[in-house]
Amino acid sequence: MAAVEPSPSLFTGPLGAVETNPTALKLILGGKLRELRVAAGLDPSAVDVRLGFSRSKTSRIELGRHGCKPTDALALLDLYGVAGDERVTEFVRLVEQSRRSDWWRSFSDVLSDFFAPLVALEGAAATIRTYEPFYVPGLLQTSAYARAVIQSGPARLYSHDVQRRVDLRQERQRQLDQKDGPRLWALIDESVLLRTVGGPQVMRGQLEHLAAMMQEPRITLQIAPLDVTASVGVGTGVTYLRFALGDLKDAVYIEHLTDSTFSQKPQVVEQYRDMLDRLGACAQTPRQSLALVQERLARL
């Protein structure tokens, strides 16, 4: 079994703010353990047997679905030929960080399983790119607009559940205010401006907020005219997460009628990134988009 060549770190670069995101850390650590296992010429089942793990435990750790204990990490690193240096110390420290609870778990009562992967990782992204065909993106919604959107859904919700969902949306927005928070590049369909959600007063407040957010240097918003969205062929909401770290793969979240798809498969991610690129190239510029928002405000 070949030992891994020594290096200052097992990672491609400093993890920075990602260290505060347990879900992202689990994925990064799992991916690194997989690389080390492959380099050592072992398959997951062989590792399970060698270390006395339960069946498929190694695979679940590598996929970020199973929290890795520090003792497990030490055993795995030793088996893969990484032992007794600062790389081990760094890795175990990150394992301990990854075992903390994510902030969003306190909203598990109102957070659907299919939405959780996006919420879990968007704060770790360098850039969030999103396209919304029906509503203002959740990261740019006012609380009143968000409440109206949530109440318009098919499920009849108690007022407490509605407020919890609004609170979750606002908590997600706070990640944009962090020092190392993600940049937001949002594309919205022109029809979103014409759809008076929650009544004129709520819509006016939302458009005023949107105009203010468009002045923020880390936020870019473009309006996609109706003929553009028809030609590009976008029929659903899409969010693309671009990570600055080579140890964490980019991801895409695609909305459907009753559920969604979250994928980090390169071919899927590339397809939707290309779609967002084409849509952004055909959409109104940020300055033109601001003028459209202000024009709509004047008519309300």
Side-chain angles (χ1 to χ4, degrees), residues 35 51 96 111 133 146 164 172 195 207 240 283:
E35 289 178 17
L51 298 182
E96 291 171 343
L111 184 59
R164 288 283 290 159
R172 290 171 57 213
R195 197 172 290 114
L207 292 177
Y240 166 69

Side-chain angles (χ1 to χ4, degrees), residues 104-231:
W104 49 268
R105 293 194 184 278
S106 61
F107 289 94
S108 58
D109 56 322
V110 294
L111 184 59
S112 0
D113 290 341
F114 61 78
F115 191 45
L118 174 65
V119 174
L121 287 174
E122 61 186 358
T127 302
I128 300 173
R129 298 178 63 182
T130 185
Y131 166 70
E132 284 290 344
F134 303 115
Y135 302 107
V136 170
L139 291 173
L140 294 173
Q141 290 179 4
T142 64
S143 58
Y145 184 95
R147 183 173 289 104
V149 170
I150 293 165
Q151 290 175 328
S152 69
R156 189 173 182 84
L157 301 172
Y158 291 109
S159 57
H160 169 75
D161 293 328
V162 172
Q163 186 58 49
R164 288 283 290 159
R165 285 168 168 79
V166 172
D167 292 342
L168 170 60
R169 204 156 296 188
Q170 292 181 316
E171 195 63 38
R172 290 171 57 213
Q173 293 173 4
R174 291 189 183 97
Q175 296 180 99
L176 297 178
D177 298 328
Q178 301 303 312
K179 180 181 178 182
D180 296 318
R183 298 180 62 88
L184 176 63
W185 179 6
L187 289 152
I188 64 174
D189 193 275
E190 183 181 12
S191 64
V192 171
L193 300 183
L194 306 176
R195 197 172 290 114
T196 308
V197 174
Q201 184 175 352
V202 170
M203 193 64 191
R204 170 172 286 278
Q206 176 59 70
L207 292 177
E208 289 173 343
H209 177 69
L210 206 56
M213 295 301 286
M214 291 171 77
Q215 309 299 323
E216 295 293 327
R218 290 164 63 186
I219 294 176
T220 300
L221 187 136
Q222 292 178 264
I223 307 298
L226 299 178
D227 57 342
V228 168
T229 52
S231 64

